[in-house]
Amino acid sequence: MKALILVGGFGTRLRPLTLKHPKPLVEFANKPMILHQIEALKAIGVTEVVLAINYKPEEMMNFLKDFDTKLDIKITCSQETEPLGTAGPLALARDKLIDDSGEPFFVLNSDVICEYPLKLMIEFHKAHGGEASIMVTKVDEPSKYGVVVMEESTGKVERFVEKPKAFVGNKINAGIYLLNPSVVDRIELRPTSIEKEVFPKIAAEKKLYAMALPGFWMDIGQPRDYITGLRLYLDSLRKKSPSKLATGPHIVGNVLVDETAEIGEGCLIGPDVAIGPGCVVESGVRLSRCSVMSGVTIKEHACISSSIIGWSSTVGQGACVEKTVLGEAVHVKKTSLGEVVYVCDDVYSNGGVVLPGREIESSNLKPESNV
Ligand code: GDD
Ligand code: MG
């Protein structure tokens, strides 16, 4: 069985992290986002994954070289010369995806995190006999997703409305599809949206079916959702593989610490924290609801909450970082006046992020954009 992962978006909502890496390679819970998906596909017997790329292709290619052997799965690239949207890449990769077997194939958005119940999806797809299956999940804010109206008893989709302006329903497209090869016949090789141009048509022909996704789900393509997604992911890890979580008197709730990270005395870490490889967390540090990427140093008594700390950054002694996304190699210093307090309250709506390589010496307590 084959799969295509849509990895071509620019990831603008996850800047400044995506200034350094393409979104699928940004770590989530200490692992590049896309690895969570490739491992799940491999686990249910997918033998070939096609990555539909148009942004930073060289870095993706280098990454692939390492991982197809490590994971024992064929990973190939289908590279666009212009962004083809969410459907055009299927037409471009047609020959890679479709073979004589006539088997359906998976398509995944690269920024969705869940327990990937892909086996259940295969059963669902076989049972309804339609042309395409999508997973749906319920959310509180449906307007930023594709909304699905379906017949509850059968899952038959009646309407698919991408990012509706008015309320249509609260079941949304989770970005995981299982499609018959015939779906590709509906797509021309040009920039096309699967959500706006393809699904509504299949739904009108009553051949699109939706399955309620069991377990948690989050699109982690925006900082606030990334941090919420980390909480949900760690909750699920607690139930499925609790031994992967850190333990000890300094740990509160669910915390993931890479084995190469060093944690000093008297820290209080958690809940909902991921600390990546090579990080140094000095004594007396307080961390909660945050993701700390590889190579970060957090000096004594610093305090970080609801933030993402980019690779190789330093948070100075006693500094306090809240609701902020630091790019790569940002240095939050301790000033002679005392502690630096860096709070970007509006980080989510206003882009309150710190660009790579910046040095921060003074406090910022106002929501503002640094981009
Ligand atoms: N190859 C390629 N080319 N991939 C692309 C392109 C492109 O031109 N444009 C976007 N993508 C990829 C993104 O990298 C991402 O993996 C996926 O397509 C979806 O794009 P997003 O930009 O993340 O879309 P969204 O989050 O606003 O909405 C989509 O996801 C929601 C669920 O998270 C839609 O599919 C919604 O219907 C859905 O509810
Ligand atoms: Mg998205």
Side-chain angles (χ1 to χ4, degrees), residues 5-11 13 23-24 51-54 78 80 82-86 89 108-112 144-147 160-163 172-175 177 194-195 199 217-222:
I5 307 182
L6 288 161
V7 293
F10 291 101
R13 292 169 292 183
K23 183 165 68 172
L51 301 186
I53 301 188
N54 79 68
S78 171
E80 293 147 49
E82 61 166 333
L84 289 177
T86 47
L108 269 65
N109 286 352
S110 64
D111 56 0
V112 296
K144 57 180 187 174
Y145 304 103
V147 176
F160 187 108
V161 191
E162 182 65 12
K163 312 217 165 74
I172 61 111
N173 168 26
Y177 322 131
I194 202 163
E195 299 88 353
F199 288 152
W217 177 89
M218 191 50 71
D219 177 328
I220 52 174
Q222 301 181 38

Side-chain angles (χ1 to χ4, degrees), residues 26 56 102 108 123 130 132 143 148 181 236 292 318 353 367:
V26 170
K56 295 201 174 182
L108 269 65
E123 287 162 22
S143 62
V148 174
S236 153
V292 182
V353 299

